[in-house]
Amino acid sequence: MPDIRPRGSLDGMDPGTQKTLLSNFLTRVGPIELYSTASQLVTYTGVLFNVDGSSDDPQINGQSWKELLIANGINAPCYVANETPSGTSHPAFSVGGHMTPNSDGQVAVGADSYLMPLCSWHNNKARDGVPFRLERTLMLKLSGFMQGDLAATFMARLPSEDRHTIVYTGGETLQSQDLSDPQANAAEKGELSDDVLSCEPQDFILLKRVERAGQTRYVVRSTSLKD
């Protein structure tokens, strides 16, 4: 599995929107230990369904998921082979769509899901529960993905030699960056040098990798976001 942490590139995501997304994520996860994540190229030939609740705003979150697919060599039109009405966005590769073989669209915590190119018409709650037949079969299997996960928070938990990672606002979109222990200590104090991150963070969540009974988890070490 390539250790790929592409940086988001959605122009115009203002800092307020970024902060809201990060705050909502922090509210959802609270004090729980987060699963580590992974992405693996696989071939899947069965029917798939949209994951229910995989993205609060597909236009915002989908852009970085799309980049994760492209970074892994997947850059094709919408995979869905079902008939569609004329005048829709199909077959454009609009977003990275989260998929599951479960017809109810639910993915259990820690279970696998799939990521493939979708057009905006198919990546819509109106198509939840619709079985999608596939034109193509090469896609990413995501491990550790949580419903409501942001691309930046998912990528922050990919395998790394460093024990810490920071998810932060301030640029054109949410960013994530691996940090050494000294860098994490500096980040917690608000003293991280500008040459480490792509921009000066306005708000952040600092995650720490921990090992529990042979399993890798992430916990929130500190955050600038207050209740």
Side-chain angles (χ1 to χ4, degrees), residues 17-80:
T17 300
Q18 296 176 41
K19 182 177 181 178
T20 297
L21 290 172
L22 203 56
S23 296
N24 290 345
F25 175 79
L26 185 61
T27 299
R28 285 194 298 270
V29 302
I32 67 173
E33 294 185 354
L34 309 175
Y35 282 80
S36 62
T37 58
S39 62
Q40 177 185 5
L41 283 169
V42 298
T43 298
Y44 189 93
T45 58
V47 169
L48 288 172
F49 300 82
N50 279 327
V51 169
D52 183 20
S54 63
S55 170
D56 294 331
D57 187 340
Q59 184 178 4
I60 292 176
N61 298 341
Q63 184 70 19
S64 291
W65 293 114
K66 176 179 178 178
E67 290 177 358
L68 180 60
L69 285 170
I70 293 174
N72 280 271
I74 299 176
N75 190 6
C78 178
Y79 273 25
V80 180

Side-chain angles (χ1 to χ4, degrees), residues 120-140:
S120 297
W121 193 85
H122 283 111
N123 188 52
N124 188 294
K125 285 195 66 63
R127 255 58 71 189
D128 285 359
V130 176
F132 289 164
R133 294 176 288 104
L134 306 180
E135 289 276 9
R136 298 170 179 82
T137 58
L138 182 65
M139 61 188 67
L140 285 177

Side-chain angles (χ1 to χ4, degrees), residues 38-199:
S39 62
Q40 177 185 5
L41 283 169
V42 298
T43 298
Y44 189 93
T45 58
V47 169
L48 288 172
F49 300 82
N50 279 327
V51 169
D52 183 20
S54 63
S55 170
D56 294 331
D57 187 340
Q59 184 178 4
I60 292 176
N61 298 341
Q63 184 70 19
S64 291
W65 293 114
K66 176 179 178 178
E67 290 177 358
L68 180 60
L69 285 170
I70 293 174
N72 280 271
I74 299 176
N75 190 6
C78 178
Y79 273 25
V80 180
N82 302 37
E83 293 183 6
T84 57
S86 61
T88 71
S89 63
H90 186 78
F93 179 7
S94 303
V95 298
H98 298 280
M99 315 302 298
T100 175
N102 302 326
S103 59
D104 62 2
Q106 298 300 306
V107 178
V109 174
D112 294 333
S113 59
Y114 298 88
L115 188 71
M116 70 182 194
L118 279 184
C119 66
S120 297
W121 193 85
H122 283 111
N123 188 52
N124 188 294
K125 285 195 66 63
R127 255 58 71 189
D128 285 359
V130 176
F132 289 164
R133 294 176 288 104
L134 306 180
E135 289 276 9
R136 298 170 179 82
T137 58
L138 182 65
M139 61 188 67
L140 285 177
K141 182 169 74 173
L142 305 181
S143 303
F145 170 75
M146 303 182 303
Q147 287 177 297
D149 222 347
L150 305 170
T153 55
F154 176 90
M155 294 172 194
R157 306 191 317 274
L158 287 169
S160 170
E161 294 181 358
D162 295 309
R163 289 198 306 159
H164 293 90
T165 183
I166 188 172
V167 183
Y168 61 99
T169 71
E172 293 181 343
T173 190
L174 285 169
Q175 305 288 314
S176 64
Q177 177 67 49
D178 299 331
L179 299 178
S180 65
D181 287 355
Q183 290 170 340
N185 294 336
E188 192 169 33
K189 300 174 184 177
E191 300 173 351
L192 193 61
S193 60
D194 294 340
D195 60 342
V196 175
L197 304 179
S198 63
C199 65

